[in-house]
Amino acid sequence: MLTLVILLGFAAIVGVLTTQRIQRDFERDVDVAADDLKRAISTQGLQLVVEGGRVVDVKLGKGSPNLDTYAASNDAVIRVVYSNGDLIASTARAPYLPPPRARTQEYDGFRIASRSIPVGSGAVFVQYARKISDVQATANRVRVFLGLGVLGGAALALLAGLATATRAMAPIQRLTDAAREIERSRDPSLTIPKPEAHDEVSELALTLEGMLHALDEARTETEATLARQRQFIADASHELRTPLTSVLANLELLEMELEGESREAAASALRSSRRMRRLVADLLLLARADAGRAAQHVPVDVSEVVAEAAGELEPVAGDHLISVAAEPGAEVEGARDELHRLTLNLLENALRHTDPGTAVEATVERRNGEIVLSVEDDGPGIPFELRDKVFERFFRGAGDRSGSSGLGLSIVRAVAHSHAGTVSLEEPLDGRGARFVVRLPARAATPR
């Protein structure tokens, strides 16, 4: 576009100057031709017809130039006339020209140059005329050629620019493709293509490669650190279970032996220890999931697991109504203890966030090759802006009523993922509170 603008400006200037030059040359040619014709006729002389001592008629002498031949080269028109415009001689098919009033004038599309030749006491005039359209046609041809030149130059500049840009941008495109592949694969160890030329693009490629190497090393160090942390948490959680078990056993015995306030203190310590044991178990489960330690998977009937979890919570459910609707034979390949913890956490989450007297419903069904476990309550529900956060670790909503650790739903997600399944918070049915849905791949039927 810039080249086109420049060429248009150049063509406009050249066109104006060329057109003016053509116009001046045309006018000069007409004047020169009229002067030459006047000299030719004056030199050869005119034939005068004299009567009574005065000139009564004028004719061109035999030595005068042939007007048709003289005018043919420039497609001109020639007339020899008296001062009043009466015709003496002219070229063939010469149109009417007005009586001479000035040396040059324009009339009916002609430029007319008039020259006087003295005759006796008077004068005759030679009128040499050419069509103005001739010079206009020449000027139009110049404009057309300039226009074609502008378009051709712009097209050539466009093609050359595209070729140059394509060649110049090819290394950038290769760098872009490599960056997209790194973004897709999340692998900073991929090789960055380096241009052969030693220019800014080559320097950019080397810089990117160095940055990726640094990021790869940093990621490796971070992953190693995280692996060590997960290993430490798993080992520490495992080691804590043994002394906690001993503490719980002693506190249970102590509670049985004591009376009054001492017994209440022992009971409080026992409750805190049980809560600590459960927290340690949660941390151990998450640590094993992070470390990729999968428990042994065996056929497990999810319906039985849900019924057992509901029965375990029945004594502490208070005024809540827990109902279970489960299809028999809803088997998956999984770890029974982990699935039990998943179900228990979903039910406890529903009990914790709903008012006494409300219902909590758990359903299990086989659907499209999956076992679908859903837990739905009649509580206030979960705000839309928190739906992506409820599965985060140590997240506790404003309505948490029992001071939970915030690991319940994160454990649900970890167990679901370790069983190649998913968990999601979906729209409740019939306008109820919250509805969590776990989908696990169903166990293939054993052929008989």
Side-chain angles (χ1 to χ4, degrees):
M1 291 301 297
L2 180 60
T3 303
L4 179 60
V5 171
I6 294 174
L7 290 177
L8 285 174
F10 176 76
I13 295 173
V14 172
V16 170
L17 295 177
T18 304
T19 302
Q20 292 177 348
R21 181 61 182 270
I22 292 173
Q23 183 68 30
R24 288 196 297 270
D25 290 346
F26 173 75
E27 294 173 356
R28 186 183 68 249
D29 290 345
V30 171
D31 291 338
V32 170
D35 292 337
D36 291 343
L37 180 60
K38 172 187 174 181
R39 285 193 295 269
I41 293 177
S42 298
T43 300
Q44 301 299 329
L46 298 172
Q47 182 179 351
L48 306 179
V49 178
V50 181
E51 292 181 358
R54 62 188 183 86
V55 177
V56 296
D57 195 8
V58 178
K59 297 181 180 179
L60 294 180
K62 292 183 180 180
S64 297
N66 184 284
L67 298 183
D68 290 317
T69 302
Y70 192 89
S73 60
N74 291 321
D75 194 22
V77 172
I78 300 175
R79 284 165 55 96
V80 181
V81 297
Y82 293 107
S83 59
N84 61 359
D86 292 343
L87 183 65
I88 297 175
S90 70
T91 55
R93 295 186 300 279
Y96 169 79
L97 297 177
R101 297 288 184 267
R103 286 178 59 84
T104 58
Q105 62 190 85
E106 293 183 0
Y107 173 79
D108 196 21
F110 284 90
R111 181 174 180 84
I112 307 168
S114 300
R115 301 293 184 264
S116 63
I117 301 175
V119 175
S121 60
V124 296
F125 290 86
V126 176
Q127 291 181 312
Y128 183 88
R130 287 181 61 184
K131 294 180 179 179
I132 299 176
S133 60
D134 292 343
V135 69
Q136 291 177 343
T138 302
N140 289 336
R141 285 194 294 272
V142 170
R143 294 189 186 98
V144 170
F145 289 143
L146 285 174
L148 293 176
V150 167
L151 295 178
L156 290 176
L158 176 62
L159 294 177
L162 289 175
T164 303
T166 301
R167 183 175 180 181
M169 292 302 294
I172 301 294
Q173 185 60 46
R174 289 194 291 270
L175 287 177
T176 302
D177 294 339
R180 286 176 179 167
E181 178 61 22
I182 292 172
E183 179 187 15
R184 185 192 64 80
S185 63
R186 297 181 178 271
D187 183 7
S189 63
L190 294 178
T191 303
I192 293 292
K194 302 180 203 47
E196 297 179 359
H198 297 286
D199 53 10
E200 292 81 359
V201 178
S202 176
E203 184 177 354
L204 175 62
L206 292 175
T207 303
L208 288 175
E209 187 175 35
M211 179 189 69
L212 289 174
H213 286 164
L215 289 175
D216 190 25
E217 293 176 358
R219 187 183 71 168
T220 302
E221 294 176 0
T222 302
E223 289 179 349
T225 301
L226 290 175
R228 289 193 296 270
Q229 290 178 351
R230 295 188 185 106
Q231 182 67 34
F232 171 77
I233 293 173
D235 293 342
S237 300
H238 180 74
E239 294 298 326
L240 284 173
R241 296 179 69 181
T242 300
L244 273 176
T245 301
S246 177
V247 169
L248 283 170
N250 291 329
L251 285 174
E252 288 174 355
L253 291 175
L254 185 61
E255 183 189 19
M256 295 173 60
E257 296 293 333
L258 297 177
E259 298 290 341
E261 293 182 0
S262 299
R263 183 173 184 177
E264 292 178 2
S268 177
L270 182 60
R271 288 192 297 270
S272 297
S273 298
R274 286 172 177 167
R275 183 181 174 192
M276 185 181 297
R277 181 179 62 178
R278 180 167 181 180
L279 179 59
V280 169
D282 290 344
L283 290 174
L284 179 59
L285 191 152
L286 288 175
R288 286 175 175 173
D290 291 340
R293 297 181 183 177
Q296 183 179 2
H297 286 194
V298 297
V300 179
D301 191 335
V302 178
S303 298
E304 294 180 0
V305 171
V306 173
E308 291 174 2
E312 183 177 337
L313 290 176
E314 191 68 33
V316 296
D319 294 332
H320 289 89
L321 176 62
I322 301 177
S323 62
V324 176
E327 292 183 6
E331 290 189 346
V332 298
E333 290 287 343
R336 189 180 189 88
D337 290 342
E338 293 183 0
L339 293 175
H340 180 82
R341 176 58 58 85
L342 177 148
T343 307
L344 203 64
N345 285 357
L346 286 177
L347 292 173
E348 285 185 338
N349 182 74
L351 295 175
R352 185 182 303 117
H353 294 90
T354 55
D355 295 325
T358 57
V360 175
E361 181 180 355
T363 61
V364 179
E365 59 182 336
R366 180 187 292 268
R367 187 190 308 163
N368 298 327
E370 293 180 329
I371 302 302
V372 180
L373 163 63
S374 64
V375 175
E376 189 170 1
D377 59 55
D378 290 330
I382 297 176
F384 181 79
E385 62 273 11
L386 299 180
R387 295 196 171 192
D388 294 334
K389 299 180 179 180
V390 294
F391 294 103
E392 296 179 2
R393 298 180 184 183
F394 302 106
F395 175 79
R396 286 179 287 186
D400 197 325
R401 306 179 184 184
S402 62
S404 68
S405 65
L407 294 176
L409 293 178
S410 61
I411 290 175
V412 170
R413 181 173 62 180
V415 173
H417 288 176
S418 67
H419 288 72
T422 61
V423 59
S424 59
L425 177 60
E426 300 185 358
E427 289 295 328
L429 302 177
D430 301 327
R432 303 179 69 179
R435 182 169 182 261
F436 290 88
V437 179
V438 178
R439 290 179 172 85
L440 303 173
R443 178 173 177 267
T446 304
R448 295 181 179 179

